[in-house]
Amino acid sequence: MKRSRMDGVKLQNIRTPLTWAAVLVFVLSLFPILALAGVDRASADDWSFGLLTHLAWVDTHSVLRVLQAAFASVKKYYFSWQGTWFSVFLFSLQPEVFSHDAYWIVPVLMTGLLIGGVSDFLYCLLVRFLHISRQDFLLIDAILLLVLIQFVPYQTSAIFWYNGAAHYTVPFALVMFACARFVRYALDFRKRDLALASLWMTLLGGTNYLTAIFGLGLFALFVVLFFCRGRRVLLMLIPMGLEMAGLLVSALAPGNAVRGGSTYRITVAGMLRAVGEALAHGMQGAWESFREYPVAMAVMLVLAVFLWDILREKVSELHLHFSCPGLVILYLWGLYCAVYWPVLFVGGSVSDGSVSVGVPNTIFWTFLLALFGSILYGLGWICEKSGGTEKWRLPVYAAVFFVVFLILCICRIDLKNSTDYVCYYYIRTGRAAVYKEQMDELTAILTDESVEDAVVPFIVGEQEPLVHLPVTLDKEEWSNQKMAQFFRKKSLVAIPRDEWEAQREIR
């Protein structure tokens, strides 16, 4: 009997060392990302969207004038390119608008927003609502964040390229912050939470359509699930209405038709067709995610075991109720499928690369949250119906960790696609140092006020996970013109590096 009690004590504390191990692993996983921060530089659309604001800052150093230029950029692109008004506003404030040494903040900012948004939402849901301990929250939070960041399909648009991350990573964080405010409001009914949820959802309406649909869908689900707490939950229809108003403003932009070309049409038949295609693509995408990310799925399996162990204790203690699990889980996966709808409606495809690489990132993150929500709600219902016994803890832990160990051994090649490995490989091979040296050289030429017709060497070598839209031999090329305008040059061309070095020696 004494030995049995000792075993129980050991098992009771099994999550404590695992929590600190998970937190440590997650913190260490951020180092390779942050190590590339000083190498990261603006590129591509950063120059064009930041043009008006940069010139305003250089001429006046007035924040007010910069904001006026940002709104002017929104107006310009609203009529000529696309209606995503809040994304364009963010685009116009890319860091190099203010300083050519400020782009290092992009990976720090985007990673911080992901961590902050997801952690805020999980804290409100798990600690405030389900009354899970802060220690167990840290365990779940660290694991989920690790998967979200490490296995995102395209690190460039998720973390390192401001324009791509502002259009996809920032809106995803907005959804998380808004959902956190929803949970807080459902618990305390504070007007401040309603106001903040309204603000985040309004801004979300001016970003990419995939994340906006995801945010609307989550709010609709929460209205149903939290309605039992009082009719005041219905006030959360206000943020939903504001987001839909923002979406309407975005959808009606004249620039959408300009960008879509002669084939751009909005028809009921086209919308309905896209619904059916979204369901098919969503089911296929979910299957491919399970198949293509075995290590990530193994980590999610570990997370499921921890959730089961936590809920096993809390459900009966707090008399938690998980009604209609089948409907809730089906809804979550229907919402995942709905994220495909905007892409299919405009005739794009996630699989053939005809859309921005930020789209697969958003779909992957939505998949993970749908999976997490299904695991949480499904296990909650199971624990509610069957309870939980201490005798199953050790066998379940042992079996799952053994399966995960096998998956990691068999599929360890999958780890080479992780964000940490991609960053580490880029640094270890010396490519990061070469890229930084070349970009410093390029910036020095472009910021030299004595040079009017700039001639720069080609940037050579691989840039991923960073990004560089190269300057070309043709001064009429779009990228050449935008960079020339940004740095106030009459013209800008690039020539082969050996030729450029020969010219420099002559001078």
Side-chain angles (χ1 to χ4, degrees):
M1 182 64 67
K2 183 177 180 180
R3 182 175 180 178
S4 177
R5 284 199 300 270
M6 289 294 293
D7 290 342
V9 170
K10 292 178 181 178
L11 280 177
Q12 186 67 26
N13 297 325
I14 192 172
R15 293 199 303 270
T16 300
L18 292 174
T19 296
W20 299 120
V23 171
L24 178 62
V25 168
F26 174 67
V27 171
L28 293 177
S29 74
L30 298 177
F31 286 3
I33 297 172
L34 299 179
L36 276 182
V39 184
D40 204 9
R41 296 298 174 87
S43 182
D45 293 345
D46 289 331
W47 306 119
S48 59
F49 285 105
L51 178 60
L52 297 181
T53 47
H54 175 64
L55 297 181
W57 177 254
V58 170
D59 290 340
T60 68
H61 280 77
S62 166
V63 175
L64 179 59
R65 290 295 180 88
V66 170
L67 291 176
Q68 289 174 341
F71 287 117
S73 296
V74 172
K75 180 180 179 180
K76 170 187 174 182
Y77 288 105
Y78 187 81
F79 288 95
S80 65
W81 179 72
Q82 187 167 289
T84 50
W85 48 272
F86 184 60
S87 287
V88 173
F89 180 79
L90 293 177
F91 296 165
S92 68
L93 298 176
Q94 65 102 344
E96 289 202 18
V97 162
F98 304 98
S99 170
H100 299 300
D101 299 318
Y103 210 77
W104 63 268
I105 200 173
V106 174
V108 177
L109 176 64
M110 298 307 166
T111 306
L113 283 173
L114 272 176
I115 295 172
V118 173
S119 299
D120 189 21
F121 173 57
L122 288 184
Y123 181 84
C124 293
L125 183 65
L126 300 180
V127 178
R128 292 289 308 279
F129 180 65
L130 295 179
H131 300 286
I132 288 172
S133 70
R134 287 181 173 82
Q135 176 183 294
D136 287 332
F137 152 73
L138 285 175
L139 176 62
I140 301 302
D141 189 43
I143 294 174
L144 186 58
L145 283 170
L146 189 71
V147 180
L148 286 167
I149 295 174
Q150 290 301 317
F151 297 97
V152 63
Y154 297 97
Q155 295 89 3
T156 300
S157 281
I159 299 171
F160 295 103
W161 181 36
Y162 179 82
N163 192 274
H167 196 43
Y168 292 100
T169 303
V170 172
F172 181 79
L174 281 177
V175 171
M176 295 293 95
F177 283 123
C179 288
R181 287 297 159 181
F182 190 119
V183 177
R184 289 178 185 271
Y185 178 77
L187 293 173
D188 303 323
F189 294 112
R190 293 182 303 181
K191 293 180 180 179
R192 179 178 63 184
D193 295 319
L194 176 60
L196 284 173
S198 298
L199 174 61
W200 303 146
M201 291 292 280
T202 302
L203 297 179
L204 186 63
T207 64
N208 75 81
Y209 301 130
L210 289 78
T211 316
I213 288 176
F214 182 53
L216 276 176
L218 283 181
F219 260 55
L221 176 62
F222 290 163
V223 166
V224 174
L225 294 181
F226 286 99
F227 182 71
C228 60
R229 301 191 65 85
R231 292 184 178 180
R232 281 184 289 179
V233 169
L234 292 177
L235 288 176
M236 276 296 164
L237 295 176
I238 295 175
M240 293 178 64
L242 290 171
E243 191 207 316
M244 293 176 69
L247 274 174
L248 183 62
V249 171
S250 178
L252 294 178
N256 294 336
V258 175
R259 188 183 186 193
S262 58
T263 60
Y264 181 78
R265 296 287 187 277
I266 297 178
T267 64
V268 175
M271 293 181 179
L272 295 177
R273 171 190 54 79
V275 170
E277 292 180 355
L279 290 173
H281 279 75
M283 289 186 288
Q284 180 182 354
W287 165 249
E288 289 178 352
S289 294
F290 280 110
R291 182 173 56 86
E292 294 178 4
Y293 300 97
V295 175
M297 295 305 102
V299 177
M300 291 300 290
L301 180 60
V302 171
L303 182 145
V305 172
F306 290 137
L307 273 176
W308 166 78
D309 195 20
I310 295 166
L311 291 172
R312 181 188 61 82
E313 301 169 356
K314 290 294 181 182
V315 169
S316 58
E317 174 186 336
L318 300 173
H319 305 288
L320 299 176
H321 184 52
F322 297 83
S323 59
C324 304
L327 287 177
V328 173
I329 293 173
L330 184 64
Y331 178 89
L332 286 171
W333 290 104
L335 181 56
Y336 165 73
C337 293
V339 171
Y340 283 84
W341 184 85
V343 176
L344 297 168
F345 175 64
V346 298
S349 173
V350 178
S351 58
D352 66 7
S354 63
V355 295
S356 168
V357 292
V359 171
N361 291 346
T362 299
I363 289 175
F364 177 72
W365 287 333
T366 305
F367 166 80
L368 286 178
L369 285 186
L371 180 59
F372 173 77
S374 299
I375 291 172
L376 176 63
Y377 206 90
L379 289 176
W381 179 80
I382 290 173
C383 291
E384 177 190 353
K385 296 300 180 183
S386 62
T389 57
E390 185 71 22
K391 68 177 182 179
W392 287 106
R393 291 189 74 202
L394 184 58
V396 169
Y397 270 106
V400 168
F401 277 98
F402 177 72
V403 170
V404 169
F405 176 76
L406 288 180
I407 293 174
L408 292 177
C409 290
I410 297 171
C411 304
R412 62 183 182 275
I413 191 68
D414 191 49
L415 291 172
K416 290 190 175 182
N417 296 321
S418 68
T419 299
D420 271 358
Y421 185 86
V422 170
C423 294
Y424 165 75
Y425 185 77
Y426 189 62
I427 295 170
R428 184 181 66 82
T429 56
R431 296 177 181 179
V434 172
Y435 179 74
K436 183 179 187 304
E437 180 181 352
Q438 293 183 93
M439 294 304 292
D440 287 343
E441 186 178 62
L442 176 66
T443 303
I445 297 171
L446 294 176
T447 55
D448 186 346
E449 295 182 359
S450 66
V451 176
E452 293 185 343
D453 296 293
V455 179
V456 300
F458 284 124
I459 302 297
V460 298
E462 295 289 334
Q463 282 87 49
E464 290 188 4
L466 307 183
V467 61
H468 175 68
L469 186 65
V471 184
T472 70
L473 287 165
D474 183 7
K475 66 179 181 181
E476 302 300 326
E477 183 73 28
W478 177 85
S479 57
N480 293 43
Q481 289 188 345
K482 293 305 177 183
M483 287 186 69
Q485 293 170 11
F486 191 91
F487 290 95
R488 285 186 162 165
K489 303 300 180 186
K490 288 183 178 179
S491 65
L492 173 62
V493 295
I495 59 177
R497 179 164 289 274
D498 55 351
E499 183 180 337
W500 180 82
E501 290 177 349
Q503 290 183 8
R504 186 173 62 172
E505 289 178 1
I506 294 174
R507 291 194 296 267

